[in-house]
Each structure stands twice: as C-alpha cells, then as structure tokens.
C-alpha cells in the first residue's frame, strides 16, 4: 500500500494546499520576471500526496482536455517526475502554459473531492512543476508517432487551439503546417499575456515541442491576405481555423480617439510581443504614464494594470462598473494586483474621455453606479446614480472590455457561415464548419475565452479531422 493510501485510510490528509512561492510584491513590481517561482521537488511531492487517487476522479470531469489528473499526480507523489510529464503530455501539448494560466479553480480543482471539506489539490501548480522539471532536464521525451498517412493539414493561427490540433494530428502521422500572421508563434499566449505571468521562453519551449513532432510553423503569413482558405484547400486535405479573437471592443464614448487611450490588445502587444518591457534594449513606443486607468475587470485588465506599474506609473487604477465579487478575473490575479498596489475603483463608469488642446488625454468624466437586479449573465446590473458625475484625472487609459473574433477569415471566405458577432459557426462536438474540409475552434468561434477551452475545442476538432482524413467518417452525414 502506498503512503498516500495509508494516509487516506487514516484520514490524515493535510487540510491546506501548499502556497506557491512568489517574488515579494516590492521586488516584483520593479521587474518583468515571473511572479510565481514554482514548487520545489519536495513541495510538489508533499502537495501531490494530498491527492486521494480517487477511483472516479471528479477533477477529470472538469478538465476540457480530459487529462488523467490522478495519474500524473500519482507519479509526482512517488517522485517519478519524468513519468508524470509523460502522462500529462498524452492529453495536453501545453502543460507549462496551462499550469500557469488556466483557471483551475473553476475547472478541475473546483470538482476535486477534497474541496468539499478542505483545500482542493493544487493541480495547476503540480502540472506546472512537472512541465518545468522536464524543461530543466533539457530534453523532452517524444510520444510515438504513427507512420505518415500522406495527408496534409493547414492550421491557421498558432494559439492554443491551433497548437493542440497540430500536435494531435502530427502524432497520428499527418503532415501539418501552421500559418501564423505575427512574427512569433504562440498567438494570444505571446501577444496577450505578460512576461511576469507567462514568460515567452515557456511558450517557445512548448512550440519547439510541437515542432519536434514534425509540425512546420510559418510566421509572418496572413491567411486571408497572403492566401485564402479556398486556396489552402487546393494544396491541403483539411484546414483548421484557430485565428483567435483579436478585435478589441471599445466603449464608444466621446474622446476615445485621444492620444493616450489604448485598447488592452494594443497596449499588451506593444509591451509583450514588441518587447516594450525591455526598454531601452527595444525602443518600442509605449507611453509611460504617471496615472493610468484600466477599464474592465478581467484577467487582461489585471495584466494591463500590473504592466503599467512595472513600466513606472505612479498610480495604476482598475475602473470597474460592478463591485469586487463580480470581478471576472481569477482571484489569484486580483490578489496579486492588490498586493502590488493597483487601486480598484469599483462601481465607476467612464462616460467621456477628456483631452487638452493638443489632443492628449487628461482624464475621464465618470459616473458612480449602484447594483440593481441581476441581468442575463446572472450578475447584478450596474445602474448609474443620478447626479454622481465626477472627473478622474489620468494621462493614459487602457480599455479592456473584451474582444471579437478576428474578422479577416470570415470576410475573405464567403462560403463559411458566420454568427452574429462575426464568429465562425462550428459544431460544438466536432468543430466542423459549413465548408467541407474546414474546421474551426477556440476564440474565433466562441469569442475570447480561456486557453484550456480553446485547447478543448482543438482536441475535439483534431479527433473529427483524423476520422475524416482516415475515411472513417463523412464530413456531412447523410441526410444533412
Ligand atoms: S478529485 Fe482531487 S483527490 Fe480525487 S483524484 Fe482528483 S485531484 Fe485527487
């Protein structure tokens, strides 16, 4: 009997999960290094031993890519770290990324049986540990790759959905080419998530792993401009579109075109992908504001506000129209922002941006809000308080209220069905679109969502694509 089983039998499971070692707030707010430092092998084994190795593991039901969670955690508990990453990679091509940015508290950890009485197992932290341990050894173990099938697949976009499809199909023996519009692969993982939360070298490592499976990655290639989907279908047997959601929403209020107003997408792309954070080695133009107001309450808003502090802002504010309990960002990211000194202005709605005679932003006219009845999202609707208008001084605003799917593919692919928000319509279970030979998944279908949801969509599409490429399944079932 393992030590874990013995502990389980005696009811001696540690109640609290082990905390993640982190840089102190004072230290980290002055650098772009990763905030979380990761578990040591000792901490990882101790945390893994809390897992009860359930016969019917609920945690697995919460994972969109169905990782064998007790399987990989068991290997860590027993000190077989290389084996644990082998188990993980059977299901997930991006474990180091998912271990860092997945909202595990809403997925696997939310369903962990321990969570009923105590802290759930820190599954995300263990996933990250296993991936980082393998990276530290310097060599990734490759899975068995099936003999070549002679089928060619093009993937549009190298974000989480595209990478998942690419790795799943490459392992099945298909020849895969990824087309990426930007100069570095990784999609939202490189342009959208800051270095202090997801270092670029981690994303590159995962992309290198996919390349080592035989996948070719072609950057600076804009499908929809350089070449259309129809033209890809002349060369490839199948196409997967994972072009993401990079079209930012704005508030549509007066003054939003003033200098100093950014979309979060532009702000983070300048800092992350264009390396604005490495000034003066890279002199990407980016305003270094004294006081920045970030509008929104999601993870991207937290990333933007924390980035502004690292770029030297004296004050960085989150301006959110609801209150703290309704914040959509991960609790962990909200706590990190609070620790670092981000100021939260809840129940506040900007109604006009104000500038000087040279067109530079000087502040925003805002209204105070109160919460009314729940709206369609189930959250209480913010309602303006009459006569509550006030002026908030600031010299930069970052609008972080969401993104729409990239419009280029829908605009240049007349045969593909699109939805109300400009998204590509695809079957939930398979990712099939209205166009034979074309699948789609991730944010271009659902609008901006999580990394793991995009990967889950990629996994389903890869299954369906493989069945179709192998001649096991028609694209349109009879009767359709
Ligand atoms: S539900 Fe929790 S305790 Fe059970 S196998 Fe999953 S992680 Fe371990």
């Amino acid at each position: 009997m393992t030590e874990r089983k013995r502990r389980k039998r005696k009811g001696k499971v540690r109640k609290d999960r082990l905390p993640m070692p982190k840089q102190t707030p004072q230290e980290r707010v002055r650098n772009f290094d990763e905030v979380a430092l990761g578990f040591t092998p000792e901490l990882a084994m101790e945390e893994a031993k809390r897992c009860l190795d359930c016969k019917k593991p609920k945690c697995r039901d919460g994972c969109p890519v169905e990782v064998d969670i007790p399987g990989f955690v068991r290997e860590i508990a027993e000190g077989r770290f290389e084996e644990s990453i082998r188990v993980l990679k059977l299901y997930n091509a991006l474990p180091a990324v998912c271990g860092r940015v997945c909202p595990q508290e809403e997925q696997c950890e939310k369903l962990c049986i321990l969570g009923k009485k105590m802290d759930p197992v820190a599954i995300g932290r263990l996933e990250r540990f296993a991936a980082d341990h393998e990276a530290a050894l310097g060599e990734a173990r490759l899975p068995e790759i099936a003999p070549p099938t002679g089928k060619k697949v093009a993937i549009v976009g190298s974000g989480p959905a595209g990478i998942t499809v690419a790795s799943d199909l490459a392992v099945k023996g298909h020849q895969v080419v990824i087309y990426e519009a930007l100069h570095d692969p990784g999609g939202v993982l490189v342009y959208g998530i800051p270095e202090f939360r997801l270092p670029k070298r981690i994303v590159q490592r995962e992309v290198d792993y996919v390349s080592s499976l035989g996948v070719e990655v072609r950057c600076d290639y804009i499908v929809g401009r350089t070449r259309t989907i129809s033209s890809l279908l002349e060369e490839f047997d199948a196409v997967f579109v994972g072009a993401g959601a990079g079209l930012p929403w704005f508030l549509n209020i007066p003054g939003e075109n003033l200098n100093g107003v950014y979309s979060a997408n532009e702000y983070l792309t300048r800092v992350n992908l264009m390396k604005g954070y490495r000034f003066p080695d890279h002199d990407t133009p980016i305003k270094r504001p004294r006081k920045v107001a970030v509008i929104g309450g999601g993870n991207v808003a937290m990333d933007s506000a924390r980035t502004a502090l690292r770029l030297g802002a004296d004050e960085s504010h989150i301006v959110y129209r609801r209150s703290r309990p309704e914040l959509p960002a991960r609790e962990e990211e909200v706590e990190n922002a609070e620790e670092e000194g981000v100021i939260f202005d809840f129940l506040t709605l900007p109604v006009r941006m104000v500038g000087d005679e040279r067109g530079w932003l000087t502040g925003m006219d805002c209204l105070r809000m109160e919460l009314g009845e729940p709206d369609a999202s189930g959250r209480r609707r913010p309602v303006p308080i009459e006569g509550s208008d006030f002026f908030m001084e600031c010299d930069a605003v970052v609008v972080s209220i969401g993104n729409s799917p990239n419009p280029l593919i829908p605009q240049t692919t007349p045969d593909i069905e699109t939805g109300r928000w400009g998204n590509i319509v695809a079957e939930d279970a398979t990712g099939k679109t209205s166009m034979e030979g074309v699948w789609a998944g991730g944010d271009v279908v659902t609008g901006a969502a999580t990394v793991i949801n995009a990967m889950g969509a990629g996994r389903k599409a890869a299954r369906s694509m493989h069945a179709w490429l192998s001649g096991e399944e028609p694209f349109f079932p009879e009767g359709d």
Side-chain angles (χ1 to χ4, degrees):
M1 191 192 301
T2 63
E3 185 193 332
R4 210 153 40 125
K5 290 256 166 71
R6 266 196 297 276
R7 283 211 227 175
K8 180 180 171 183
R9 192 162 284 183
K10 288 185 190 161
K12 273 195 186 162
V13 173
R14 225 190 110 103
K15 282 203 162 65
D16 309 328
R17 55 166 53 192
L18 292 170
M20 172 63 97
K22 292 197 276 192
Q23 286 193 70
T24 65
Q26 297 74 19
E27 250 179 299
R28 70 195 194 222
V29 81
R30 290 198 302 267
N31 65 55
F32 273 86
D33 296 343
E34 198 172 6
V35 167
L37 302 173
F39 277 162
T40 60
E42 295 73 27
L43 289 177
M45 286 176 71
E46 196 178 336
E47 179 63 28
K49 284 175 185 165
R50 295 183 62 235
C51 172
L52 304 177
D53 204 357
C54 306
K55 270 209 180 101
K56 289 188 184 158
K58 288 275 171 213
C59 53
R60 234 183 139 170
D61 298 342
C63 176
V65 292
E66 301 155 24
V67 166
D68 176 6
I69 293 167
F72 95 83
V73 172
R74 185 187 315 126
E75 299 299 348
I76 295 179
E78 305 292 334
R80 292 189 295 268
F81 305 143
E82 281 143 270
E83 200 45 34
S84 79
I85 192 68
R86 192 194 61 75
V87 175
L88 259 169
K89 281 197 171 164
L90 290 176
Y91 305 87
N92 184 346
L94 302 171
V97 170
C98 289
R100 285 169 166 83
V101 301
C102 276
Q104 292 97 6
E105 65 282 2
E106 292 298 322
Q107 295 175 324
C108 52
E109 293 177 6
K110 191 175 185 178
L111 298 185
C112 168
I113 194 80
L114 288 191
K116 286 188 189 257
K117 291 198 176 152
M118 54 184 91
D119 285 349
V121 175
I123 299 167
R125 293 171 189 176
L126 292 173
E127 181 178 27
R128 170 192 163 136
F129 166 78
D132 288 357
H133 179 82
E134 184 190 49
L137 294 178
E139 211 167 285
R141 253 166 65 172
L142 296 183
E144 208 173 305
I145 297 176
T149 60
K151 301 286 183 189
K152 288 178 75 180
V153 178
I155 299 201
V156 183
S158 64
I163 289 180
T164 303
V165 176
S167 92
D168 284 8
L169 293 182
V171 168
K172 299 279 187 204
H174 305 299
Q175 187 187 339
V176 181
V177 180
I178 300 182
Y179 291 96
E180 168 55 50
L182 297 173
H183 60 267
D184 272 335
V188 70
L189 304 174
V190 286
Y191 73 74
I193 305 181
E195 183 75 11
F196 57 81
R197 205 149 71 83
L198 179 63
K200 309 283 158 282
R201 67 184 154 75
I202 305 284
V203 181
Q204 189 57 50
R205 199 170 78 204
E206 311 268 44
V207 172
D208 288 346
Y209 169 75
V210 175
S211 301
S212 68
L213 300 176
V215 173
E216 184 189 344
V217 184
R218 289 188 201 162
C219 291
D220 296 315
Y221 200 112
I222 305 181
V223 175
R225 282 275 177 275
T226 317
R227 211 168 162 189
T228 61
I229 296 286
S230 305
S231 141
L232 285 176
L233 281 172
E234 288 166 15
E235 180 187 342
F236 293 89
D237 298 286
V239 173
F240 174 81
V241 182
L247 186 67
W249 291 345
F250 283 93
L251 292 156
N252 291 323
I253 58 175
E256 249 178 324
N257 55 355
L258 286 164
N259 292 318
V261 180
Y262 295 90
S263 68
N265 205 322
E266 178 189 348
Y267 188 69
L268 292 175
T269 299
R270 281 175 186 264
V271 179
N272 298 333
L273 187 72
M274 297 166 72
K275 308 241 174 13
Y277 72 95
R278 286 179 54 190
F279 181 83
D281 299 340
H282 293 252
D283 59 355
T284 301
I286 179 89
K287 189 168 168 65
R288 282 155 202 278
R290 198 183 54 70
K291 180 172 171 183
V292 61
V294 178
I295 300 164
N299 290 324
V300 178
M302 300 304 139
D303 286 346
S304 303
R306 296 169 69 198
T307 294
L309 285 178
R310 285 161 172 78
L311 288 176
D314 294 337
E315 274 182 37
S316 180
H317 291 241
I318 289 281
V319 177
Y320 182 54
R321 63 195 183 128
R322 290 184 161 100
S323 62
R324 197 186 190 290
E326 290 84 30
L327 277 172
R330 296 182 72 186
E331 181 59 27
E332 186 176 316
E333 300 308 332
V334 176
E335 280 170 14
N336 279 335
E338 285 171 337
E339 285 172 9
E340 289 168 14
V342 170
I343 300 163
F344 287 76
D345 297 296
F346 292 117
L347 295 166
T348 303
L349 179 72
V351 289
R352 191 166 78 99
M353 310 277 176
V354 181
D356 62 18
E357 62 289 346
R358 291 175 308 125
W360 284 91
L361 178 86
T362 54
M364 307 186 291
D365 286 333
C366 300
L367 289 177
R368 299 256 182 243
M369 313 293 277
E370 60 188 352
L371 293 179
E373 294 303 310
D375 61 15
S377 71
R379 296 176 301 169
R380 292 177 64 193
R381 185 193 300 274
V383 183
I385 300 175
E386 215 174 300
S388 65
D389 47 308
F390 70 100
F391 181 70
M392 178 188 275
E393 190 224 320
C394 56
D395 54 349
V397 162
V398 180
V399 181
S400 176
I401 55 170
N403 291 304
S404 294
N406 283 335
L408 196 53
I409 304 281
Q411 280 168 5
T412 56
T413 318
D415 293 341
I416 212 158
E417 187 187 343
T418 53
R420 195 167 151 210
W421 306 107
N423 53 306
I424 293 179
V425 174
E427 277 181 19
D428 194 34
T430 63
K432 283 179 186 172
T433 69
S434 58
M435 207 170 159
E436 181 157 14
V438 181
W439 283 255
D443 292 359
V444 77
V445 171
T446 57
T450 62
V451 170
I452 194 71
N453 282 329
M455 292 176 67
R459 163 86 11 103
K460 288 180 195 168
R463 260 188 219 136
S464 165
M465 291 172 87
H466 176 63
W468 187 70
L469 289 165
S470 316
E472 291 162 13
E473 200 174 85
F475 191 85
F476 298 118
E478 249 175 80
D480 266 26

